[in-house]
Amino acid sequence: MDGALTLFLVIFGCSDDMSRCQRIDTPPTTFASASICNSQEPAALATKEAMSADYPTIIARCVNGKQLAAWGLKTIDMSKLLR
């Protein structure tokens, strides 16, 4: 799959206000379409990793390869991205 066109479903652990989110270290799942990727977000939140993560808020998001590479495992402000 082309990384520019591929969507990656990743899980983030966040503060309550979503201003500090860290990617939970799980292998990202890849999808070729946004609709399929988005439909799998609830399943990602039901995984053992998501359920046992020690964060007030857990979210799953589909991101493109460029976003995933830029964010890596650093802390990001999701509150600005979800507006």
Side-chain angles (χ1 to χ4, degrees):
M1 284 187 196
D2 181 353
L5 303 175
T6 303
L7 292 172
F8 298 87
L9 181 57
V10 293
I11 304 169
F12 296 93
C14 301
S15 59
D16 282 329
D17 65 359
M18 306 283 282
S19 67
R20 298 186 53 78
C21 296
Q22 291 271 160
R23 194 174 116 208
I24 294 174
D25 193 16
T26 59
T29 307
T30 59
F31 297 91
S33 78
S35 61
I36 296 172
C37 187
N38 291 329
S39 74
Q40 295 304 305
E41 288 178 2
L45 293 174
T47 62
K48 180 180 79 166
E49 293 83 4
M51 299 288 280
S52 64
D54 190 23
Y55 293 91
T57 304
I58 306 296
I59 61 171
R61 287 292 177 265
C62 295
V63 300
N64 64 40
K66 187 175 181 179
Q67 288 171 309
L68 185 62
W71 293 343
L73 294 175
K74 68 182 178 182
T75 301
I76 59 171
D77 185 349
M78 282 290 215
S79 67
K80 294 179 180 178
L81 301 173
L82 299 174
R83 291 182 191 166

